[in-house]
Amino acid sequence: MTHNDRSEGKLPQVPKPYWRDFIDLPEFPRLDKDIHVDVVIVGGGITGITSAYLLANEGLKVAVLEAGKLLNGTTGHTTAKITAQHDIIYDEFIQTMGKSKARLYYEANMEALSFIKKTVDQHQINCDFSIQDAYIYATTEQYASKLEIEKKAYERLGIDGELVDHIPFDIDIKNALVMKNQAQFHPIKYLTHLIQIIKEKGGLIFEHTTAVNVETGEQPTVLTRKGSRVTGSHVLSCSHFPFYEGLGFYSTRMHADRSYILAVKTKKSFPGGMYISADQPTRSLRSAMVNGEEMVLIGGEGHKTGQGKDTMEHYKALETFSEQVFGVNDIVYRWSAQDLITIDKIPYIGEITAGQPNILIATGYRKWGMTNGTTAALLFRDMILDKKNAYQNLYTPSRFYAHPSLKNFLVENANVAAHLIKGKLELPAKNANDLSNGEGAVITIKGHRKGAYKDDGGKLHIVDTTCTHIGCEVEWNNGDRTWDCPCHGSRFSYTGEVIEGPAEKPLQRHDHTMLDNLASEDSGY
Protein backbone atom coordinates (compact mmCIF):
# COMPACT_ATOMS: atom_id res chain seq x y z
CA MET A 1 0.00 0.00 0.00
CA THR A 2 1.58 3.33 -1.03
CA HIS A 3 1.77 6.45 1.06
CA ASN A 4 -0.96 8.01 -1.10
CA ASP A 5 -3.39 5.24 -0.08
CA ARG A 6 -3.26 6.44 3.53
CA SER A 7 -5.03 9.32 5.21
CA GLU A 8 -3.49 10.82 8.36
CA GLY A 9 -1.80 8.26 10.63
CA LYS A 10 -2.15 4.61 9.61
CA LEU A 11 -5.78 4.76 8.49
CA PRO A 12 -6.56 3.58 4.94
CA GLN A 13 -7.75 6.47 2.81
CA VAL A 14 -10.81 4.68 1.45
CA PRO A 15 -13.35 2.82 3.65
CA LYS A 16 -13.78 -0.83 2.71
CA PRO A 17 -15.00 -3.82 4.77
CA TYR A 18 -12.81 -6.91 5.04
CA TRP A 19 -15.50 -9.58 4.69
CA ARG A 20 -15.97 -9.48 0.91
CA ASP A 21 -12.23 -9.65 0.09
CA PHE A 22 -10.63 -12.96 -0.92
CA ILE A 23 -14.10 -14.46 -1.60
CA ASP A 24 -15.32 -15.60 -5.00
CA LEU A 25 -18.86 -14.24 -4.72
CA PRO A 26 -21.41 -15.44 -7.27
CA GLU A 27 -23.03 -12.86 -9.55
CA PHE A 28 -26.69 -12.78 -10.50
CA PRO A 29 -28.66 -11.03 -13.26
CA ARG A 30 -31.04 -8.10 -13.01
CA LEU A 31 -34.71 -9.12 -13.18
CA ASP A 32 -36.06 -8.15 -16.61
CA LYS A 33 -39.47 -9.86 -16.74
CA ASP A 34 -42.55 -10.60 -14.62
CA ILE A 35 -42.38 -13.80 -12.56
CA HIS A 36 -44.55 -15.76 -10.13
CA VAL A 37 -43.13 -17.65 -7.13
CA ASP A 38 -44.33 -18.89 -3.73
CA VAL A 39 -42.35 -16.35 -1.68
CA VAL A 40 -40.82 -13.02 -2.77
CA ILE A 41 -37.87 -12.04 -0.57
CA VAL A 42 -36.61 -8.45 -0.77
CA GLY A 43 -33.05 -8.04 0.54
CA GLY A 44 -29.91 -10.13 0.08
CA GLY A 45 -28.36 -10.02 3.56
CA ILE A 46 -28.39 -12.59 6.35
CA THR A 47 -32.18 -12.39 6.85
CA GLY A 48 -33.10 -12.74 3.18
CA ILE A 49 -30.54 -15.45 2.36
CA THR A 50 -31.32 -17.52 5.48
CA SER A 51 -35.05 -17.19 4.76
CA ALA A 52 -34.55 -18.32 1.17
CA TYR A 53 -32.44 -21.29 2.34
CA LEU A 54 -35.04 -22.39 4.90
CA LEU A 55 -38.02 -22.02 2.55
CA ALA A 56 -36.25 -23.69 -0.39
CA ASN A 57 -35.54 -26.62 1.96
CA GLU A 58 -39.31 -26.83 2.52
CA GLY A 59 -39.88 -27.15 -1.22
CA LEU A 60 -41.15 -23.61 -1.79
CA LYS A 61 -40.21 -21.62 -4.89
CA VAL A 62 -38.40 -18.46 -3.74
CA ALA A 63 -37.10 -15.32 -5.46
CA VAL A 64 -34.59 -13.00 -3.76
CA LEU A 65 -34.45 -9.39 -5.02
CA GLU A 66 -31.37 -7.36 -4.04
CA ALA A 67 -31.12 -3.67 -4.95
CA GLY A 68 -27.32 -3.78 -5.22
CA LYS A 69 -24.92 -6.67 -4.72
CA LEU A 70 -25.69 -9.59 -2.42
CA LEU A 71 -24.19 -9.39 1.08
CA ASN A 72 -22.94 -5.83 0.55
CA GLY A 73 -25.29 -4.04 2.96
CA THR A 74 -25.34 -4.26 6.75
CA THR A 75 -24.39 -7.96 6.68
CA GLY A 76 -21.22 -7.12 4.76
CA HIS A 77 -20.28 -4.40 7.28
CA THR A 78 -20.80 -6.30 10.54
CA THR A 79 -18.45 -7.35 13.35
CA ALA A 80 -20.07 -10.82 12.98
CA LYS A 81 -20.50 -11.71 16.62
CA ILE A 82 -23.09 -14.46 17.15
CA THR A 83 -24.30 -13.79 20.65
CA ALA A 84 -27.29 -13.18 22.93
CA GLN A 85 -25.24 -10.63 24.90
CA HIS A 86 -26.53 -7.44 23.29
CA ASP A 87 -25.06 -4.85 25.66
CA ILE A 88 -26.72 -4.27 29.05
CA ILE A 89 -30.35 -5.07 28.21
CA TYR A 90 -31.76 -7.92 30.27
CA ASP A 91 -32.51 -5.94 33.42
CA GLU A 92 -34.15 -3.27 31.25
CA PHE A 93 -36.23 -5.88 29.42
CA ILE A 94 -37.40 -7.39 32.72
CA GLN A 95 -38.48 -3.90 33.87
CA THR A 96 -40.26 -2.92 30.63
CA MET A 97 -41.66 -6.23 29.33
CA GLY A 98 -41.52 -8.68 32.21
CA LYS A 99 -39.37 -11.69 32.99
CA SER A 100 -40.97 -14.13 30.56
CA LYS A 101 -40.48 -11.89 27.48
CA ALA A 102 -36.92 -11.05 28.54
CA ARG A 103 -36.19 -14.78 28.78
CA LEU A 104 -37.80 -15.36 25.36
CA TYR A 105 -35.46 -12.77 23.81
CA TYR A 106 -32.44 -14.63 25.23
CA GLU A 107 -33.79 -18.00 24.06
CA ALA A 108 -34.52 -16.71 20.55
CA ASN A 109 -30.96 -15.47 20.12
CA MET A 110 -29.41 -18.62 21.60
CA GLU A 111 -31.60 -20.69 19.26
CA ALA A 112 -30.25 -18.64 16.35
CA LEU A 113 -26.67 -19.32 17.49
CA SER A 114 -27.48 -23.02 17.75
CA PHE A 115 -29.02 -22.99 14.25
CA ILE A 116 -25.94 -21.35 12.72
CA LYS A 117 -23.63 -23.87 14.44
CA LYS A 118 -25.78 -26.80 13.31
CA THR A 119 -25.89 -25.49 9.72
CA VAL A 120 -22.11 -25.00 9.67
CA ASP A 121 -21.62 -28.56 10.96
CA GLN A 122 -24.23 -30.11 8.65
CA HIS A 123 -22.77 -28.60 5.47
CA GLN A 124 -19.17 -28.51 6.75
CA ILE A 125 -18.95 -24.80 5.93
CA ASN A 126 -15.45 -23.37 6.27
CA CYS A 127 -16.37 -19.99 7.77
CA ASP A 128 -14.01 -19.52 10.74
CA PHE A 129 -16.81 -20.43 13.16
CA SER A 130 -15.53 -20.61 16.74
CA ILE A 131 -17.11 -20.72 20.18
CA GLN A 132 -16.07 -17.69 22.27
CA ASP A 133 -17.08 -16.25 25.62
CA ALA A 134 -18.58 -12.74 25.36
CA TYR A 135 -17.70 -10.00 27.85
CA ILE A 136 -19.18 -6.60 28.70
CA TYR A 137 -16.62 -4.62 30.69
CA ALA A 138 -16.96 -1.48 32.82
CA THR A 139 -14.22 1.11 33.32
CA THR A 140 -16.23 3.34 35.69
CA GLU A 141 -17.97 2.76 39.02
CA GLN A 142 -21.27 3.85 37.46
CA TYR A 143 -21.19 1.08 34.86
CA ALA A 144 -19.66 -1.44 37.26
CA SER A 145 -22.80 -1.15 39.40
CA LYS A 146 -24.98 -1.50 36.26
CA LEU A 147 -23.17 -4.75 35.45
CA GLU A 148 -23.87 -6.00 38.97
CA ILE A 149 -27.59 -5.33 38.41
CA GLU A 150 -27.37 -7.01 34.98
CA LYS A 151 -25.76 -10.05 36.60
CA LYS A 152 -28.83 -10.36 38.88
CA ALA A 153 -31.00 -10.23 35.74
CA TYR A 154 -28.90 -13.08 34.29
CA GLU A 155 -29.57 -15.09 37.45
CA ARG A 156 -33.33 -14.42 37.29
CA LEU A 157 -33.40 -15.49 33.64
CA GLY A 158 -31.15 -18.53 34.02
CA ILE A 159 -28.41 -17.13 31.76
CA ASP A 160 -24.99 -18.80 32.02
CA GLY A 161 -22.74 -15.93 33.09
CA GLU A 162 -20.55 -14.52 35.83
CA LEU A 163 -18.87 -11.33 37.02
CA VAL A 164 -15.07 -11.20 36.73
CA ASP A 165 -12.63 -8.51 37.84
CA HIS A 166 -10.16 -8.58 34.95
CA ILE A 167 -9.90 -9.15 31.20
CA PRO A 168 -6.67 -10.11 29.39
CA PHE A 169 -5.91 -6.64 27.97
CA ASP A 170 -4.14 -3.53 29.12
CA ILE A 171 -7.46 -1.89 30.05
CA ASP A 172 -8.10 -0.83 33.63
CA ILE A 173 -11.58 -2.22 34.38
CA LYS A 174 -13.81 -2.25 37.46
CA ASN A 175 -15.57 -5.49 36.50
CA ALA A 176 -16.87 -7.45 33.51
CA LEU A 177 -19.89 -9.66 32.90
CA VAL A 178 -19.22 -12.77 30.83
CA MET A 179 -21.81 -14.79 28.88
CA LYS A 180 -20.39 -18.22 28.20
CA ASN A 181 -20.31 -20.20 24.94
CA GLN A 182 -21.19 -17.54 22.38
CA ALA A 183 -19.61 -17.52 18.91
CA GLN A 184 -18.09 -15.63 15.98
CA PHE A 185 -17.67 -16.44 12.28
CA HIS A 186 -17.06 -15.12 8.78
CA PRO A 187 -20.61 -14.25 7.66
CA ILE A 188 -19.91 -14.00 3.92
CA LYS A 189 -18.26 -17.43 3.74
CA TYR A 190 -21.24 -18.86 5.64
CA LEU A 191 -23.91 -17.18 3.52
CA THR A 192 -22.13 -17.84 0.20
CA HIS A 193 -22.52 -21.55 0.95
CA LEU A 194 -26.25 -21.08 1.64
CA ILE A 195 -26.59 -19.19 -1.66
CA GLN A 196 -25.18 -22.23 -3.48
CA ILE A 197 -27.79 -24.48 -1.81
CA ILE A 198 -30.61 -22.05 -2.71
CA LYS A 199 -29.49 -22.18 -6.37
CA GLU A 200 -29.32 -25.99 -6.31
CA LYS A 201 -32.89 -26.14 -4.98
CA GLY A 202 -34.22 -23.94 -7.79
CA GLY A 203 -34.32 -20.62 -5.91
CA LEU A 204 -34.10 -17.48 -8.07
CA ILE A 205 -31.74 -14.65 -7.12
CA PHE A 206 -31.60 -11.21 -8.78
CA GLU A 207 -29.12 -8.42 -8.15
CA HIS A 208 -29.39 -4.72 -9.12
CA THR A 209 -33.17 -5.11 -8.82
CA THR A 210 -34.70 -2.43 -6.63
CA ALA A 211 -38.10 -3.19 -5.11
CA VAL A 212 -40.11 0.00 -4.66
CA ASN A 213 -43.65 -0.92 -3.69
CA VAL A 214 -46.18 -3.70 -3.07
CA GLU A 215 -49.61 -4.21 -4.58
CA THR A 216 -51.47 -5.89 -1.73
CA GLY A 217 -54.03 -8.65 -2.04
CA GLU A 218 -54.31 -12.40 -1.67
CA GLN A 219 -51.31 -12.73 -4.00
CA PRO A 220 -49.22 -9.61 -3.27
CA THR A 221 -46.98 -8.28 -6.05
CA VAL A 222 -43.63 -6.55 -5.58
CA LEU A 223 -43.03 -3.73 -8.06
CA THR A 224 -39.46 -2.98 -9.12
CA ARG A 225 -37.79 0.23 -10.27
CA LYS A 226 -37.41 -1.01 -13.87
CA GLY A 227 -41.05 -2.14 -14.09
CA SER A 228 -40.76 -5.92 -13.59
CA ARG A 229 -43.29 -7.48 -11.22
CA VAL A 230 -42.88 -10.44 -8.87
CA THR A 231 -46.03 -12.06 -7.50
CA GLY A 232 -46.19 -14.62 -4.71
CA SER A 233 -48.25 -15.96 -1.83
CA HIS A 234 -45.98 -14.12 0.63
CA VAL A 235 -43.65 -11.11 0.52
CA LEU A 236 -40.76 -10.88 3.00
CA SER A 237 -39.23 -7.44 3.56
CA CYS A 238 -35.63 -8.18 4.64
CA SER A 239 -34.12 -4.97 3.29
CA HIS A 240 -32.59 -3.46 6.44
CA PHE A 241 -34.92 -0.43 6.38
CA PRO A 242 -38.33 -1.57 5.06
CA PHE A 243 -38.55 -0.89 1.32
CA TYR A 244 -42.33 -0.77 1.84
CA GLU A 245 -43.92 0.49 5.04
CA GLY A 246 -47.61 -0.02 4.29
CA LEU A 247 -49.41 1.69 7.16
CA GLY A 248 -46.77 0.53 9.66
CA PHE A 249 -45.10 3.98 9.85
CA TYR A 250 -41.73 2.38 10.57
CA SER A 251 -39.93 5.67 9.86
CA THR A 252 -41.50 7.09 13.00
CA ARG A 253 -40.64 4.07 15.18
CA MET A 254 -36.90 3.67 14.58
CA HIS A 255 -33.73 5.68 14.28
CA ALA A 256 -30.50 4.89 12.41
CA ASP A 257 -27.20 4.59 14.23
CA ARG A 258 -23.69 4.41 12.71
CA SER A 259 -20.60 2.78 14.14
CA TYR A 260 -17.02 2.32 12.96
CA ILE A 261 -14.61 -0.62 12.63
CA LEU A 262 -10.87 -1.07 12.05
CA ALA A 263 -9.10 -4.31 11.10
CA VAL A 264 -5.71 -4.01 12.79
CA LYS A 265 -2.42 -5.92 12.64
CA THR A 266 -1.43 -5.59 16.29
CA LYS A 267 1.90 -5.80 18.09
CA LYS A 268 0.34 -7.78 20.96
CA SER A 269 -1.47 -11.03 20.18
CA PHE A 270 -5.20 -11.37 20.83
CA PRO A 271 -6.07 -13.63 23.80
CA GLY A 272 -9.47 -14.89 22.55
CA GLY A 273 -13.02 -13.96 23.54
CA MET A 274 -15.32 -11.15 22.33
CA TYR A 275 -15.53 -7.87 24.24
CA ILE A 276 -17.67 -4.75 24.36
CA SER A 277 -17.46 -1.80 26.73
CA ALA A 278 -20.41 -0.83 28.90
CA ASP A 279 -19.16 2.77 29.01
CA GLN A 280 -19.39 5.27 26.17
CA PRO A 281 -17.93 5.68 23.66
CA THR A 282 -18.38 1.98 22.89
CA ARG A 283 -15.36 -0.21 22.20
CA SER A 284 -15.91 -3.65 20.61
CA LEU A 285 -13.15 -6.26 20.19
CA ARG A 286 -12.81 -9.63 18.49
CA SER A 287 -10.20 -11.43 16.39
CA ALA A 288 -10.55 -12.41 12.73
CA MET A 289 -8.44 -14.38 10.28
CA VAL A 290 -7.64 -12.05 7.36
CA ASN A 291 -6.09 -13.97 4.47
CA GLY A 292 -4.54 -16.46 6.89
CA GLU A 293 -3.30 -13.82 9.34
CA GLU A 294 -4.94 -13.04 12.69
CA MET A 295 -6.07 -9.45 13.12
CA VAL A 296 -8.14 -7.61 15.70
CA LEU A 297 -11.47 -6.00 14.73
CA ILE A 298 -11.87 -2.88 16.85
CA GLY A 299 -15.25 -1.17 16.63
CA GLY A 300 -17.41 1.43 18.34
CA GLU A 301 -17.97 5.20 18.33
CA GLY A 302 -21.74 4.93 17.68
CA HIS A 303 -23.87 7.99 16.89
CA LYS A 304 -27.08 8.87 15.08
CA THR A 305 -26.63 8.85 11.29
CA GLY A 306 -26.08 12.30 9.80
CA GLN A 307 -25.62 13.86 13.23
CA GLY A 308 -22.49 14.70 15.21
CA LYS A 309 -18.86 15.51 14.46
CA ASP A 310 -16.64 14.91 11.41
CA THR A 311 -16.85 11.14 10.96
CA MET A 312 -13.08 10.78 10.37
CA GLU A 313 -12.69 11.70 14.05
CA HIS A 314 -14.44 8.42 15.00
CA TYR A 315 -11.92 6.38 12.99
CA LYS A 316 -9.04 8.33 14.56
CA ALA A 317 -10.39 7.66 18.06
CA LEU A 318 -10.41 3.91 17.34
CA GLU A 319 -6.87 4.17 15.95
CA THR A 320 -5.71 5.84 19.19
CA PHE A 321 -7.44 3.16 21.29
CA SER A 322 -5.84 0.39 19.19
CA GLU A 323 -2.39 1.88 19.69
CA GLN A 324 -2.89 2.23 23.45
CA VAL A 325 -4.21 -1.31 24.05
CA PHE A 326 -2.42 -3.47 21.46
CA GLY A 327 0.13 -1.41 19.59
CA VAL A 328 -0.48 -1.03 15.85
CA ASN A 329 1.71 -2.49 13.11
CA ASP A 330 -0.82 -1.70 10.37
CA ILE A 331 -4.49 -0.85 9.86
CA VAL A 332 -5.52 -2.91 6.87
CA TYR A 333 -9.21 -1.99 6.61
CA ARG A 334 -11.59 0.60 7.96
CA TRP A 335 -15.34 0.65 7.43
CA SER A 336 -18.55 1.83 9.03
CA ALA A 337 -21.85 0.08 9.68
CA GLN A 338 -25.38 1.25 10.15
CA ASP A 339 -28.34 -0.28 11.90
CA LEU A 340 -31.81 0.66 13.01
CA ILE A 341 -32.97 0.85 16.60
CA THR A 342 -36.62 0.41 17.53
CA ILE A 343 -38.37 2.30 20.29
CA ASP A 344 -38.22 -0.60 22.77
CA LYS A 345 -34.92 -2.10 21.45
CA ILE A 346 -36.62 -5.33 20.26
CA PRO A 347 -36.62 -5.92 16.47
CA TYR A 348 -39.85 -5.74 14.50
CA ILE A 349 -40.39 -9.18 12.93
CA GLY A 350 -43.77 -10.34 11.65
CA GLU A 351 -46.87 -9.00 9.87
CA ILE A 352 -46.17 -5.54 8.44
CA THR A 353 -49.45 -4.41 9.98
CA ALA A 354 -51.89 -6.46 12.03
CA GLY A 355 -54.07 -8.61 9.79
CA GLN A 356 -51.66 -8.69 6.82
CA PRO A 357 -50.29 -12.24 7.16
CA ASN A 358 -48.88 -12.40 3.64
CA ILE A 359 -46.54 -9.37 3.93
CA LEU A 360 -43.90 -9.91 6.62
CA ILE A 361 -41.15 -7.60 7.75
CA ALA A 362 -37.88 -7.79 9.71
CA THR A 363 -36.02 -4.66 10.80
CA GLY A 364 -34.48 -2.87 13.77
CA TYR A 365 -31.72 -5.29 14.83
CA ARG A 366 -29.85 -2.69 16.96
CA LYS A 367 -26.44 -3.81 15.60
CA TRP A 368 -26.96 -7.47 16.56
CA GLY A 369 -28.03 -8.75 13.16
CA MET A 370 -26.30 -12.14 13.06
CA THR A 371 -28.63 -13.67 15.67
CA ASN A 372 -31.62 -11.36 15.12
CA GLY A 373 -31.51 -11.88 11.33
CA THR A 374 -31.38 -15.65 11.81
CA THR A 375 -34.23 -15.47 14.34
CA ALA A 376 -36.28 -13.52 11.79
CA ALA A 377 -35.71 -16.16 9.09
CA LEU A 378 -36.73 -18.99 11.43
CA LEU A 379 -39.85 -17.07 12.48
CA PHE A 380 -40.75 -16.29 8.86
CA ARG A 381 -40.50 -19.97 7.94
CA ASP A 382 -42.86 -20.97 10.73
CA MET A 383 -45.37 -18.20 9.94
CA ILE A 384 -45.44 -19.14 6.24
CA LEU A 385 -45.85 -22.86 7.07
CA ASP A 386 -48.48 -21.97 9.68
CA LYS A 387 -46.45 -23.49 12.51
CA LYS A 388 -46.54 -22.27 16.09
CA ASN A 389 -43.52 -20.18 17.10
CA ALA A 390 -42.88 -19.16 20.71
CA TYR A 391 -41.35 -15.82 19.69
CA GLN A 392 -44.08 -14.48 17.40
CA ASN A 393 -45.74 -12.22 20.00
CA LEU A 394 -42.42 -10.94 21.35
CA TYR A 395 -41.31 -9.61 17.96
CA THR A 396 -44.65 -8.65 16.41
CA PRO A 397 -44.39 -5.15 14.88
CA SER A 398 -47.90 -4.30 16.10
CA ARG A 399 -46.90 -4.60 19.79
CA PHE A 400 -46.93 -1.49 21.92
CA TYR A 401 -45.40 -1.35 25.39
CA ALA A 402 -46.61 1.84 27.05
CA HIS A 403 -43.35 2.33 28.93
CA PRO A 404 -40.90 3.47 27.67
CA SER A 405 -42.25 3.28 24.12
CA LEU A 406 -44.53 6.32 24.20
CA LYS A 407 -41.85 8.65 25.55
CA ASN A 408 -39.26 7.30 23.09
CA PHE A 409 -41.76 7.62 20.23
CA LEU A 410 -42.29 11.32 21.00
CA VAL A 411 -38.58 12.02 21.50
CA GLU A 412 -37.63 10.24 18.26
CA ASN A 413 -40.12 12.17 16.17
CA ALA A 414 -39.27 15.48 17.83
CA ASN A 415 -35.67 14.77 16.78
CA VAL A 416 -36.75 14.15 13.17
CA ALA A 417 -38.90 17.29 13.12
CA ALA A 418 -36.06 19.37 14.54
CA HIS A 419 -33.66 18.20 11.82
CA LEU A 420 -36.29 18.63 9.10
CA ILE A 421 -36.84 22.26 10.07
CA LYS A 422 -33.23 23.08 10.98
CA GLY A 423 -31.89 21.89 7.64
CA LYS A 424 -34.42 23.95 5.69
CA LEU A 425 -33.51 27.14 7.56
CA GLU A 426 -29.73 26.88 7.23
CA LEU A 427 -28.04 28.55 4.26
CA PRO A 428 -24.30 27.94 4.54
CA ALA A 429 -21.85 30.72 3.64
CA LYS A 430 -19.53 28.30 1.82
CA ASN A 431 -19.50 28.12 -1.99
CA ALA A 432 -17.99 25.71 -4.53
CA ASN A 433 -14.80 27.74 -4.97
CA ASP A 434 -13.95 27.18 -1.29
CA LEU A 435 -13.58 23.39 -1.70
CA SER A 436 -10.23 21.59 -1.99
CA ASN A 437 -9.80 18.34 -3.92
CA GLY A 438 -11.28 15.44 -1.91
CA GLU A 439 -13.53 17.78 0.11
CA GLY A 440 -17.32 17.78 0.40
CA ALA A 441 -19.64 20.31 2.04
CA VAL A 442 -23.09 21.84 2.02
CA ILE A 443 -22.86 25.09 0.03
CA THR A 444 -25.17 27.84 -1.24
CA ILE A 445 -25.81 28.32 -4.96
CA LYS A 446 -28.12 31.20 -6.00
CA GLY A 447 -29.77 31.16 -2.59
CA HIS A 448 -30.36 27.40 -2.60
CA ARG A 449 -28.82 24.78 -0.31
CA LYS A 450 -26.75 22.29 -2.34
CA GLY A 451 -24.33 19.47 -1.68
CA ALA A 452 -20.93 19.68 -3.35
CA TYR A 453 -17.99 17.28 -3.54
CA LYS A 454 -14.77 18.03 -5.40
CA ASP A 455 -13.14 14.71 -6.30
CA ASP A 456 -9.39 14.01 -6.29
CA GLY A 457 -9.19 15.05 -9.94
CA GLY A 458 -10.81 18.41 -9.21
CA LYS A 459 -14.20 17.60 -10.78
CA LEU A 460 -17.17 19.09 -8.92
CA HIS A 461 -20.27 16.95 -8.17
CA ILE A 462 -23.38 18.95 -7.17
CA VAL A 463 -26.57 17.41 -5.72
CA ASP A 464 -29.73 18.73 -4.16
CA THR A 465 -29.50 18.12 -0.39
CA THR A 466 -33.18 17.21 0.05
CA CYS A 467 -33.37 13.51 0.97
CA THR A 468 -35.70 11.66 -1.40
CA HIS A 469 -37.39 9.78 1.47
CA ILE A 470 -39.47 12.46 3.22
CA GLY A 471 -37.50 15.61 2.54
CA CYS A 472 -34.99 16.11 5.38
CA GLU A 473 -31.67 17.75 4.52
CA VAL A 474 -28.65 15.45 4.14
CA GLU A 475 -25.25 16.19 5.70
CA TRP A 476 -21.74 15.41 4.38
CA ASN A 477 -20.02 12.34 5.90
CA ASN A 478 -16.31 13.06 5.50
CA GLY A 479 -15.10 9.66 6.75
CA ASP A 480 -17.07 7.67 4.16
CA ARG A 481 -17.53 10.36 1.47
CA THR A 482 -21.30 10.03 1.49
CA TRP A 483 -24.37 12.21 2.00
CA ASP A 484 -26.24 11.00 5.12
CA CYS A 485 -29.77 11.84 6.23
CA PRO A 486 -30.14 12.68 9.96
CA CYS A 487 -33.85 11.80 10.01
CA HIS A 488 -34.12 8.15 8.93
CA GLY A 489 -30.57 7.21 7.98
CA SER A 490 -30.71 7.18 4.16
CA ARG A 491 -27.24 7.42 2.63
CA PHE A 492 -26.14 8.51 -0.84
CA SER A 493 -22.87 8.48 -2.78
CA TYR A 494 -21.25 11.83 -3.62
CA THR A 495 -22.91 11.57 -7.05
CA GLY A 496 -26.29 11.13 -5.33
CA GLU A 497 -26.89 7.38 -5.85
CA VAL A 498 -28.68 5.52 -3.02
CA ILE A 499 -26.35 3.47 -0.80
CA GLU A 500 -28.81 2.73 2.01
CA GLY A 501 -32.59 3.18 2.34
CA PRO A 502 -35.28 4.03 3.19
CA ALA A 503 -34.77 6.44 0.27
CA GLU A 504 -35.26 4.68 -3.07
CA LYS A 505 -34.44 7.47 -5.51
CA PRO A 506 -31.10 9.24 -5.98
CA LEU A 507 -30.56 12.79 -4.80
CA GLN A 508 -31.85 15.18 -7.46
CA ARG A 509 -29.79 17.60 -9.51
CA HIS A 510 -32.61 20.12 -9.31
CA ASP A 511 -34.65 21.52 -6.41
CA HIS A 512 -36.81 18.92 -4.70
CA THR A 513 -39.53 19.00 -2.07
CA MET A 514 -40.91 16.68 0.57
CA LEU A 515 -44.24 16.58 -1.29
CA ASP A 516 -42.50 15.23 -4.42
CA ASN A 517 -41.35 12.24 -2.39
CA LEU A 518 -44.62 11.43 -0.65
CA ALA A 519 -46.70 11.86 -3.83
CA SER A 520 -44.44 9.59 -5.90
CA GLU A 521 -45.98 6.28 -6.99
CA ASP A 522 -42.94 4.29 -5.84
CA SER A 523 -42.32 6.03 -2.51
CA GLY A 524 -43.26 2.92 -0.48
CA TYR A 525 -46.10 4.80 1.26
Side-chain angles (χ1 to χ4, degrees), residues 89-91 93-94 98-104 106-107 150-160:
I89 50 162
Y90 287 104
D91 179 68
F93 284 172
I94 289 170
K99 182 180 163 186
S100 63
K101 281 195 167 71
R103 171 71 195 182
L104 279 174
Y106 170 72
E107 286 177 2
E150 186 76 348
K151 172 60 170 68
K152 288 175 181 162
Y154 277 29
E155 288 169 1
R156 289 187 66 190
L157 298 174
I159 295 173
D160 181 14

Side-chain angles (χ1 to χ4, degrees), residues 20 25 44-46 49 69-73 75-76 188 191-192 195:
R20 289 172 62 87
L25 279 165
I46 189 166
I49 297 302
K69 293 282 293 170
L70 287 181
L71 309 177
N72 199 29
T75 299
I188 308 302
L191 291 165
T192 301
I195 289 166

Side-chain angles (χ1 to χ4, degrees), residues 55-104:
L55 294 166
N57 281 343
E58 297 290 341
L60 295 174
K61 180 83 167 176
V62 300
V64 178
L65 312 182
E66 167 54 47
K69 293 282 293 170
L70 287 181
L71 309 177
N72 199 29
T74 310
T75 299
H77 292 74
T78 177
T79 54
K81 294 176 177 177
I82 314 169
T83 178
Q85 190 189 62
H86 299 170
D87 300 329
I88 303 176
I89 50 162
Y90 287 104
D91 179 68
E92 180 181 334
F93 284 172
I94 289 170
Q95 305 302 325
T96 57
M97 300 184 302
K99 182 180 163 186
S100 63
K101 281 195 167 71
R103 171 71 195 182
L104 279 174

Side-chain angles (χ1 to χ4, degrees), residues 235-237 242 244 250 348-352 359-363 380 397:
V235 171
L236 305 185
S237 171
Y244 167 76
Y250 289 91
Y348 298 132
I349 306 168
E351 295 180 2
I352 189 163
I359 304 176
L360 306 179
I361 194 167
T363 187
F380 284 162

